[in-house]
Amino acid sequence: MKQLVKLAAGLALGCAISGAQAAVEILDKVIAVVDDDVIMESELQERLVVVKNNITSRGLEAPPEDALVRETLDRLILESIQLQKGVRYGIRIEDQQLAAAVGRLASQNGLTPQQFVDQLEQSGGSYGELLANIEREMIIQRVQGGNVNQRIDITTAEIEAFLDTEEGQQLIQPAYRLIHARLDVSDDIDLDAARTYVGSLAERIKDGEEFNEVIGASIDPYQFKGGDLGIRPESDLPSLFAPIAPTMEQGSFAGPIENGRSFHFIYLLEKRGGTQIIPQTSVRHILIKPSEILTNEQAQELAAELRQRALNGEDFADLAREYSEDIGSAQEGGDLGWASPGQMVPVFEEQMSNAELNAITEPFQSQFGWHILQVMDRRDQDVTELVNRNRAQDFLHNQKYQEELEAWLQQIRDEAFVDIK
């Protein structure tokens, strides 16, 4: 169908009838047939404009025209093959996913989504084309991920061997990403007044105001400078911060740190490596799902009834085995094991965090249905070894991914029917 649509469009563009002679002027044409799809000359020319603009904006030297055309056409062919696979796999990108992608682009440019769209259209861009390009990229990414990831196998022996290397040890060493703000106080400004001012900023941040907003809104004569120091191992941190950063929690700040006539604030944006201690909760639950024969109100009432039966002495685990609709935990008496932060959906996490030990919560609703839960125990768990192994596995996976991607792309290119006109 897509091929017919493109051919129809090509014919519509390609034929202009002039008077009785019905002269035909070719305006567009098919330049490649790719399985069930076609690539039009206009598509190639549009992509070439984009490629050339990117080369110019990056200050690079363009390759010869024939090489550029060949490489661009090859890329369009590969994209077509992958997009056709996406159709066969039934991959769909939902509107909210596209909106989220636009939101991320806007945020990267320091704009709200609406400001980003307005700026795009004011510069002559098309919001519809942007969404179409984002959708194409997301479909291709999913097709690639689904096919390439299954080709990658990282063994336990590979992980252990990597961790024994110098590169592996560097990967798991403590490293910190700090945002640094520095205020230099000139000789004509009273140092005590400056000290009072930066102290007030610290209090505002402690009271919950955003670090960047507080520092960024500083006024003359107190102008901060600095920025993102990037990920650095402890040995590479500025000496003033090296003893402080390891004591900080991710998302916290320190300051003002006074050094001569300078005041410093640091914000720990990210912390990697080192000892990883996390709180864990042993929890079990019963899930009741609304259905065609059980209304939402009836599901809530049943959850409340089961809670009362448990409070009256019936075994929680037996009730979970009989009634819970969480297939993964029902046969285990509702036991979810040791849950780590971020593992559960937010409403479940909140109820779990606030629940007293051994108490059974009132029924609460998540997107899955109505729950009651019981916290069995809490602990602080050292997950350093697990985190290190996971980081090593991710590193090795990323190394192999590009190699496997190139091999897979070559494979699907060889297997496809491609006829370049």
Side-chain angles (χ1 to χ4, degrees):
M1 178 62 72
K2 184 179 177 185
Q3 181 178 357
L4 292 175
V5 171
K6 281 191 174 181
L7 286 171
L11 290 171
L13 288 170
C15 298
I17 301 177
S18 175
Q21 295 181 349
V24 176
E25 179 185 359
I26 302 300
L27 300 178
D28 200 358
K29 64 179 181 178
V30 174
I31 58 170
V33 177
V34 184
D35 287 335
D36 296 327
D37 192 17
V38 294
I39 297 173
M40 309 298 294
E41 172 71 22
S42 57
E43 290 181 81
L44 176 60
Q45 295 304 322
E46 288 172 3
R47 183 62 64 87
L48 280 169
V49 170
V50 174
V51 171
K52 289 177 180 178
N53 287 340
N54 287 339
I55 291 173
T56 301
S57 65
R58 295 168 62 185
L60 303 175
E61 182 179 350
E65 183 71 14
D66 59 339
L68 190 62
V69 170
R70 184 171 59 253
E71 291 172 7
T72 304
L73 179 57
D74 286 344
R75 183 171 294 275
L76 285 171
I77 290 170
L78 272 176
E79 287 180 8
S80 174
I81 296 169
Q82 293 172 88
L83 289 168
Q84 290 181 72
K85 286 183 178 294
V87 172
R88 290 196 291 273
Y89 298 158
I91 296 175
R92 297 186 62 182
I93 308 300
E94 302 297 334
D95 289 344
Q96 58 267 33
Q97 294 172 309
L98 292 174
V102 172
R104 288 191 293 272
L105 284 174
S107 178
Q108 290 168 10
N109 288 274
L111 302 171
T112 66
Q114 188 57 55
Q115 289 171 335
F116 179 77
V117 173
D118 291 343
Q119 193 174 97
L120 171 70
E121 294 179 341
Q122 288 169 7
S123 63
S126 166
Y127 183 56
E129 289 182 9
L130 173 67
L131 291 181
N133 289 335
I134 292 174
E135 183 178 30
R136 285 168 58 93
E137 290 177 8
M138 293 179 75
I139 291 173
I140 289 173
Q141 286 173 0
R142 291 192 184 183
V143 170
Q144 290 179 352
N147 284 277
V148 177
N149 284 328
Q150 66 183 359
R151 299 163 66 106
I152 300 173
D153 180 32
I154 309 297
T155 66
T156 300
E158 285 180 283
I159 294 173
E160 292 175 351
F162 174 71
L163 287 173
D164 285 338
T165 66
E166 182 178 351
E167 187 177 19
Q169 286 300 304
Q170 288 179 347
L171 179 69
I172 63 176
Q173 288 304 307
Y176 308 88
R177 184 180 176 188
L178 295 173
I179 304 297
H180 173 219
R182 170 176 175 164
L183 172 64
D184 295 320
V185 182
S186 59
D187 292 337
D188 60 339
I189 297 176
D190 182 70
L191 192 58
D192 286 334
R195 193 176 289 120
T196 300
Y197 175 73
V198 295
S200 70
L201 298 185
E203 290 302 320
R204 288 171 58 189
I205 299 170
K206 289 178 184 176
D207 289 340
E209 293 189 53
E210 290 291 334
F211 179 86
N212 287 337
E213 291 181 4
V214 171
I215 298 300
S218 58
I219 57 175
D220 285 334
Y222 306 114
Q223 290 293 327
F224 283 87
K225 57 185 177 182
D228 190 339
L229 298 182
I231 284 286
R232 297 190 185 188
E234 189 174 334
S235 59
D236 194 34
L237 289 174
S239 58
L240 190 62
F241 311 143
I244 301 173
T247 68
M248 298 173 64
E249 296 294 330
Q250 186 166 305
S252 66
F253 84 101
I257 305 164
E258 189 170 348
N259 183 34
R261 294 188 66 84
S262 296
F263 295 91
H264 304 260
F265 285 91
I266 53 174
Y267 180 88
L268 183 56
L269 192 64
E270 185 179 357
K271 182 177 182 178
R272 299 181 185 174
T275 302
Q276 303 281 325
I277 306 293
I278 62 171
Q280 291 185 324
T281 305
S282 174
V283 63
R284 57 183 180 177
H285 82 136
I286 296 174
L287 170 65
I288 306 298
K289 296 181 179 180
S291 64
E292 293 182 359
I293 61 174
L294 193 69
T295 66
N296 189 61
E297 291 75 15
Q298 290 171 331
Q300 181 182 11
E301 291 171 2
L302 178 55
E305 176 189 331
L306 295 175
R307 175 179 183 270
Q308 191 58 51
R309 288 170 62 178
L311 292 175
N312 290 341
E314 291 192 52
D315 187 74
F316 189 102
D318 289 341
L319 292 172
R321 293 187 186 96
E322 183 175 354
Y323 292 99
S324 182
E325 296 180 79
D326 179 1
I327 298 174
S329 68
Q331 294 307 309
E332 303 299 324
D335 189 3
L336 295 169
W338 287 99
S340 301
Q343 186 175 335
M344 304 299 181
V345 295
V347 64
F348 195 101
E349 185 120 3
E350 180 182 2
Q351 291 283 337
M352 184 175 67
S353 298
N354 295 334
E356 296 183 6
L357 202 62
N358 296 317
I360 301 175
T361 64
E362 296 282 352
F364 63 93
Q365 190 174 24
S366 75
Q367 65 261 47
F368 303 110
W370 286 91
H371 309 255
I372 57 174
L373 68 78
Q374 184 179 34
V375 172
M376 309 300 294
D377 199 1
R378 289 190 170 94
R379 71 183 184 187
D380 289 327
Q381 182 71 5
D382 186 342
V383 294
T384 304
E385 183 177 354
L386 176 62
V387 169
N388 288 344
R389 293 179 69 85
N390 286 341
R391 291 187 65 195
Q393 183 172 8
D394 289 344
F395 181 86
L396 293 171
H397 181 279
N398 291 337
Q399 275 192 329
K400 289 187 176 183
Y401 187 91
Q402 195 58 42
E403 298 173 8
E404 293 296 337
L405 174 60
E406 294 299 327
W408 178 74
L409 289 174
Q410 185 61 55
Q411 176 186 327
I412 63 173
R413 178 65 171 80
D414 293 341
E415 293 172 350
F417 171 79
V418 178
D419 181 16
I420 298 176
K421 303 298 184 181

